[in-house]
């Protein structure tokens, strides 16, 4: 049975704190292994990459090459079901359109003192995209990671993807082709991250690495952070559904299970003010769990991490949502916008009864790479801004420096930084 | 003598690569110490914080309290030199004004399919600001870290600052008061970071921690990343000056030394197309090094890490600048904007002969917390966006879901995520 909490219960706060403190990720201590692989790739380059690829993926890259030819990437589109390709193209168009709206404007401004001040946005020159192989190879994730980089204007996107026993889902290549990316290497794990961060003869170094991966990939990304930028380290997926009693319980059950099927460590939580409705949803989940294809995974996730929280009123929802800071938040209520306006911490919000979270996973347009494990308190989903950076600028002339420079001299002297003070004072003349 | 490179030299590329690869930071292995302190503060809370503060800062916080009373914070303004307070106020006004220009707009858009899509920006609810004690306690840095958070609308800014032997620069408190921050705790080191990240009885947990600190603070920030957000880990300061022969060599020497005086690991580099001018700058640096107050530090920095790079033409500058990706870039040339337009990687640019970098450290307006160690390739200086986060949203109705939902169903089925597909399909009806 799924756990049930109620805000009317005197023990609620303790139960809720336990829910918040719950750790869903196993601590895999792979850091030392990742560190050794990185050091080896740094010192031996392509030779080390080839050895690890042979060992882990049973693949002889000396024979077939580390890079997947661009013709093979683009040719993959022909090898996929036309319906799937059409759906990918539609998704790509919508994702690209929404991310174009995110392109920021710079600042270029002359203030009252006559100082010109501003900020320009520039794309990161080169980005590495890690694409998982095997079960976790989702063409939708390829679009979600690659398209924001392309929209931002990143000049070079280099992709690494492990191909165990030479096997690779052609839809992953098709998604890369549709996203306009064709620099693809058949390498995975910490060795791929190391090659992207430090460069080898075959794989030129990049400036930032994004994309999901297993524990070794995550550990390697943490290790190379600083040498290159990295995106967030994603945890297990999660959904929080706030629903009143007017919903179809089958719909809400389907939404809860759409996250639960991802991963045994995924988490699905229902907040509702209607106890009878909660019972109907729990029953609908049980019924669907009996027949759905990924029932082992979903049942385990629901049993271990699922929760139903009964509210005295939906008015209680925003405070609890903010404490949970969910990756995905569905508001299946009559006035979802009014509720959304009261929420501060959420990765993505799905408004109303006709917006299941899964449309956001594929075709809505906003990114599906979102902050997990309560990190929506301080971070954001992937977007165009993650592939841009800001450079500020200042321009003084003799007059404007004369106006603002003396205060800089005072502060520099106060801080004991006399050379700072001198570099300003030496240029000062009486203000014109 | 400072090292000299020349792009006309056949060995230039090798010399330049050596310069790029140079490591200026000592690897202090303090990670295990930081980890132990964090674990202790997590388990014993305030008691552990008090013990570490007694041990490291020789301070009995049981007697005087962990928190510095707000009246003492605001009262500090009266204890400082009026000229310094006036300069701080002027700096604060200019920093605040520039950061207000950075406030981003959200997106709220209905597309051709009738799907409402958007993105809202929200302030991070609570931010911790680490302020170093002792020599590194710069009131200007307090303004640069606290004001962007205030402008972003962060509701709670909690400050920790070590006060060894009870000593604290009153100008640091005055800067906090001017920035409108008065939740200040006399605690430093990894114990301060742990308290901010996990909370104790006296110090409520925050969502993100920013601000510079020593190796223990940096290690602790890396450790708590994920539980809270962190800002970048700052390395030693650096300046790159691109100057033609028409500059006053004393001015350029002053600018190079203004970074060199920060820290023995700081780096100052001159790029010029005029060999005679380069000689004059080197001589001016030597002359000033003989008399400047922080000459031991500056001389060591200049000797170990300084460089003069002679160019055949200033046209060569942008490519080299981008590879160095400097924290601070001065363009002391006739047409600085044309040069700036060709540069992709720099933290902050100072345009023209009358814009010494040091005005940016104090009063210009843009932030002086900037990416070091070539991280301007992929990251940005501190700004308002670092204290905000984005939540995307999607709203479909029955009709718009009917238009975009089928493609989501196709992709979910293709990825083997049948519960995802079902959560969309269950809501579909023939498009209206």
């Amino acid at each position: 049975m799924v756990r049930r909490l109620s805000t009317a219960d005197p023990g609620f706060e303790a139960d809720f704190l336990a829910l918040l403190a719950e750790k869903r990720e196993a601590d895999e201590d792979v850091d030392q292994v990742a560190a050794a692989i990185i050091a080896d790739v740094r010192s031996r380059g392509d030779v080390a990459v080839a050895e690890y690829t042979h060992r882990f993926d049973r693949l002889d890259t000396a024979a077939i090459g580390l890079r997947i030819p661009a013709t093979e990437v683009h040719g993959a589109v022909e090898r996929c079901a036309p319906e799937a390709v059409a759906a990918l193209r539609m998704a790509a168009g919508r994702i690209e359109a929404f991310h174009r709206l995110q392109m920021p404007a710079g600042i270029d401004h002359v203030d009252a003192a006559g100082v010109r001040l501003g900020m320009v946005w520039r794309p990161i020159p080169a980005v590495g995209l890690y694409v998982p192989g095997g079960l976790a190879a989702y063409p939708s994730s390829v679009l979600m990671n690659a398209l924001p980089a392309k929209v931002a204007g990143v000049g070079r996107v280099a992709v690494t993807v492990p191909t165990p026993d030479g096997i690779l889902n052609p839809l992953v290549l098709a998604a890369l082709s549709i996203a306009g990316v064709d620099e693809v290497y058949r390498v995975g794990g910490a060795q791929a991250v190391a090659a992207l961060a430090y460069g080898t003869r075959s794989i030129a170094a990049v400036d930032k690495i994004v994309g999901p991966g297993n524990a070794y990939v995550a550990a390697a990304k943490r290790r190379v952070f600083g040498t290159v930028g990295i995106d967030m380290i994603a945890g297990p997926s999660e959904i929080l559904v706030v629903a009143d009693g007017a919903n179809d319980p089958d719909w809400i059950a389907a939404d809860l299970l759409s996250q639960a099927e991802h991963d045994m460590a995924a988490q699905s939580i229902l907040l509702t003010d209607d106890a009878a409705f909660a019972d109907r949803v729990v029953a609908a989940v049980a019924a669907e769990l009996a027949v759905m294809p990924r029932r082992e995974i979903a049942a385990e996730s629901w049993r271990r991490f699922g929760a139903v929280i009964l509210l005295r009123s939906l008015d209680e929802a925003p405070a609890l949502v903010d404490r949970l800071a969910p990756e995905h938040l569905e508001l299946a209520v009559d006035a979802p916008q009014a509720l959304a306006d009261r929420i501060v911490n959420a990765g993505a919000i799905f408004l109303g009864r006709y917006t299941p979270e899964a449309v956001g996973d594929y075709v809505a347009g906003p990114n599906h790479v979102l902050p997990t494990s309560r990190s929506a308190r301080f971070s954001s989903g992937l977007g165009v801004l993650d592939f841009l950076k800001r450079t500020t600028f200042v321009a003084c002339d003799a007059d404007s420096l004369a106006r603002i420079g003396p205060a800089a001299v005072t502060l520099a002297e106060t801080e004991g930084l006399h050379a700072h003070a001198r570099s300003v004072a030496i240029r000062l003349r009486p203000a014109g």
Side-chain angles (χ1 to χ4, degrees), chain A:
Chain A
M1 272 313 297
V2 71
R3 97 188 91 181
R4 309 274 292 247
L5 285 72
S6 169
T7 57
D9 184 332
F12 173 75
E13 180 63 20
D15 293 345
F16 190 76
L17 283 173
L19 183 69
L20 281 182
E22 206 165 71
K23 204 164 156 46
R24 288 182 289 134
E25 280 171 283
D27 264 330
E28 282 191 75
D29 194 11
V30 300
D31 183 57
Q32 293 310 312
V33 176
I37 293 174
I38 292 168
D40 195 15
V41 171
R42 278 189 80 174
S43 77
R44 296 196 300 137
D46 281 340
V47 174
V49 170
E51 283 180 15
Y52 289 114
T53 303
H54 188 260
R55 187 193 308 173
F56 297 127
D57 296 336
R58 298 158 299 282
L59 205 67
D60 181 3
T61 50
I64 56 172
L66 212 49
R67 183 161 174 180
I68 299 176
T71 51
E72 187 177 333
V73 176
H74 296 302
V77 173
E78 305 303 318
R79 299 195 286 128
C80 299
E83 197 193 33
V85 172
L88 269 186
R89 285 197 203 280
M90 181 205 171
R94 296 185 57 84
I95 294 163
E96 186 175 331
F98 183 73
H99 284 75
R100 281 206 188 287
L101 299 175
Q102 297 175 15
M103 282 296 283
I107 299 169
D108 195 340
H109 167 77
V110 178
D111 70 14
V115 181
R116 187 175 153 228
L117 298 165
M119 185 169 88
V120 293
W121 290 91
R122 300 274 196 216
I124 294 173
V127 166
L129 166 55
Y130 189 94
V131 175
L135 281 180
Y138 292 135
S140 59
S141 291
V142 169
L143 297 183
M144 292 290 182
N145 281 276
L147 286 170
K150 298 299 281 187
V151 170
V154 170
R156 176 177 166 240
V157 178
V159 176
T160 62
V161 56
T163 61
D165 302 305
I167 294 169
L168 176 57
N169 180 355
L171 262 182
V172 163
L173 291 184
L176 287 169
S177 171
I178 289 168
V181 173
D182 59 21
E183 184 185 340
V184 186
Y185 302 95
R186 34 185 145 241
V187 50
Q191 58 275 23
V193 174
L196 290 170
Y198 293 102
T200 68
R201 185 178 293 267
S202 301
I203 305 178
V206 300
D207 301 303
K208 182 169 185 171
I209 301 175
V210 302
N214 64 18
Y216 294 88
V217 172
K221 280 167 68 179
R222 277 185 187 273
R223 282 258 161 195
V224 300
F225 174 57
T227 299
V228 295
I230 62 168
D231 61 352
M232 62 191 125
I233 308 285
S237 193
E238 42 194 66
I239 190 171
L240 178 57
V241 181
V242 179
D244 60 28
N247 286 281
D248 184 329
D250 283 340
W251 293 16
I252 301 303
D255 301 347
L256 294 168
L257 289 171
S258 75
Q259 290 307 300
E261 79 169 341
H262 259 299
D263 183 343
M264 289 185 189
Q267 181 165 55
S268 305
I269 298 176
L270 171 66
L271 264 64
T272 182
D273 60 347
D274 185 326
F277 174 74
D279 292 338
R280 287 194 293 271
V281 172
V282 169
V285 166
E288 188 60 21
L289 275 176
V291 298
M292 63 183 281
R294 292 168 69 92
R295 55 185 166 270
E296 281 80 13
I297 293 170
E300 180 75 358
S301 156
W302 180 243
R303 186 185 67 73
R304 287 178 59 196
F305 301 116
V308 173
I309 302 180
L310 187 66
L311 310 176
R312 282 165 295 198
S313 147
L314 289 182
D315 241 22
E316 294 178 324
L320 297 178
V321 170
D322 276 344
R323 293 175 70 187
L324 286 160
E327 180 189 17
H328 302 108
L329 173 65
E330 261 185 43
L331 301 177
V333 297
D334 270 337
Q337 188 60 53
L339 204 54
D341 288 342
R342 295 170 57 196
I343 283 158
V344 176
N345 298 334
I349 302 182
F350 301 86
L351 296 158
R353 308 186 198 283
Y354 281 89
T355 317
E357 184 277 323
V359 292
D361 284 337
Y362 295 106
V363 296
N367 213 287
H368 79 196
V369 179
L370 292 165
T372 58
S373 309
R374 301 183 64 228
S375 62
R377 287 151 44 237
F378 54 82
S379 65
S380 311
L382 198 68
V384 164
L385 296 185
D386 296 296
F387 297 98
L388 297 166
K389 60 210 175 61
R390 313 180 290 273
T391 299
T392 55
F393 62 82
V394 183
C396 293
D397 57 17
D399 288 336
S400 58
L401 185 67
R403 287 184 198 105
I404 69 168
V409 173
T410 299
L411 290 171
E413 295 287 0
T414 302
E415 294 185 354
L417 296 174
H418 302 287
H420 282 66
R422 184 170 185 269
S423 74
V424 178
I426 200 171
R427 289 169 164 95
L428 290 180
R429 57 173 206 191

